């Protein structure tokens, strides 16, 4: 079955550490996205990529970095510059030409700073 | 002011009730209007999407869009305990032919009781 796989499901980070969240899709979608979800704030866009080797900042990119070396993979690194990283992170991809309704979301990674 | 406003609830209704969920928005550039359902610690799942003003029905669910008032609604008829989840409205702006950015409401928690 096609879908999006996010790993790990739970991740704990110490202060000052960088951590990388994995996102893999086998849907053959060109576009991929990272969203952050906090209680009472909905989902907010961190980064998106329209095609391999290209990515754009979203609304809250500070303290995050991404790469897109393969069509199937879009890893997100949460750096030590991100002051409040505890959140639920969701990766998504979308079918071209669907205008926003063709998103498929992964099951998320819950990141906690300890 | 947020681009998308949604009452966070929580909303508690008895089984069989009609549920009305609503969002307002301020950005006239939004093109598609979506409703997602999210269970705890899972990724959002698309319930319905609409493009133009009017109603769209799918089984027990009806999505309504009023672009002149910048107001969207989701109605759930004959609500079931399995409908208990968080409901997110989302609106999209097309970036390119391959990518669209979604702006989400904060989500409404719905509890359907026996």
């Amino acid at each position: 079955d096609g879908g999006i796989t996010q790993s790990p499901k739970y991740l704990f980070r110490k202060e000052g550490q960088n951590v990388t969240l994995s996102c893999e899709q086998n849907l053959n979608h060109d576009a991929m996205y990272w969203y952050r979800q906090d209680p009472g704030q909905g989902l907010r866009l961190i980064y998106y990529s329209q095609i391999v080797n290209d990515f754009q900042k979203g609304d809250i990119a500070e303290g995050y970095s991404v790469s897109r070396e393969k069509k199937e993979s879009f890893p997100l690194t949460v750096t030590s510059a991100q002051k409040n990283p505890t959140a639920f992170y969701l990766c998504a991809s979308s079918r071209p030409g669907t205008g926003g309704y063709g998103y498929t979301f992964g099951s998320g990674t819950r990141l906690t700073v300890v | 002011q947020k681009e998308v406003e949604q009452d966070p609830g929580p909303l508690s209704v008895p089984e069989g009730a009609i549920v009305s969920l609503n969002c307002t928005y301020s950005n006239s550039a939004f093109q598609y209007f979506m409703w997602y359902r999210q269970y705890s610690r899972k990724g959002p799942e698309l319930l319905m999407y609409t493009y133009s003003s009017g109603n769209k029905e799918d089984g027990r669910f009806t999505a309504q869009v009023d672009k002149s008032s910048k107001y969207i609604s989701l109605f759930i008829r004959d609500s079931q305990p399995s409908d208990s989840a968080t409901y997110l409205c989302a609106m999209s702006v097309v970036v390119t032919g391959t990518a669209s950015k979604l702006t989400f409401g904060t989500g409404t928690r719905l509890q359907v009781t026996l």
Side-chain angles (χ1 to χ4, degrees), chain B residues 15 36 62-63 72 76 83 85 91 114:
Chain B
E15 183 178 9
Y36 285 86
T62 299
I72 71 170
I76 307 174
D83 294 330
M91 304 173 193
L114 290 169

Side-chain angles (χ1 to χ4, degrees), chain B residues 46-103:
Chain B
L46 180 66
L47 273 177
M48 297 187 71
Y49 73 92
T50 54
Y51 178 73
S52 56
S53 286
N55 293 352
K56 183 177 181 180
E57 195 171 311
D58 183 3
R60 296 186 295 112
F61 298 90
T62 299
Q64 190 176 78
V65 173
D66 182 347
K67 286 190 174 182
S68 62
S69 300
K70 295 189 175 63
Y71 188 89
I72 71 170
S73 298
L74 177 71
F75 299 96
I76 307 174
R77 291 183 297 280
D78 187 25
S79 55
Q80 304 294 311
S82 58
D83 294 330
S84 298
T86 296
Y87 290 80
L88 299 153
C89 65
M91 304 173 193
S92 70
V93 173
V94 175
V95 177
T96 68
T98 57
S100 300
K101 295 169 64 176
L102 298 186
T103 301

Side-chain angles (χ1 to χ4, degrees), chain A residues 54-66:
Chain A
D54 177 77
F55 48 83
Q56 306 295 327
K57 292 182 179 180
D59 301 319
I60 55 165
E62 185 175 350
Y64 300 98
S65 66
V66 293

Side-chain angles (χ1 to χ4, degrees), chain A residues 11-75:
Chain A
L11 186 58
F12 297 89
R13 191 194 95 167
K14 293 182 179 179
E15 295 278 355
Q17 272 187 340
N18 292 354
V19 291
T20 297
L21 284 60
S22 171
C23 177
E24 303 278 334
Q25 56 104 353
N26 60 4
L27 299 165
N28 200 34
H29 289 170
D30 287 311
M32 297 188 73
Y33 313 80
W34 276 103
Y35 285 84
R36 168 181 171 143
Q37 187 173 28
D38 295 278
Q41 296 207 47
L43 281 73
R44 292 179 291 166
L45 181 63
I46 304 172
Y47 268 98
Y48 67 97
S49 169
Q50 301 170 52
I51 200 168
V52 173
N53 292 324
D54 177 77
F55 48 83
Q56 306 295 327
K57 292 182 179 180
D59 301 319
I60 55 165
E62 185 175 350
Y64 300 98
S65 66
V66 293
S67 63
R68 187 85 187 276
E69 296 176 1
K70 299 187 301 181
K71 187 176 185 177
E72 300 80 18
S73 179
F74 191 40

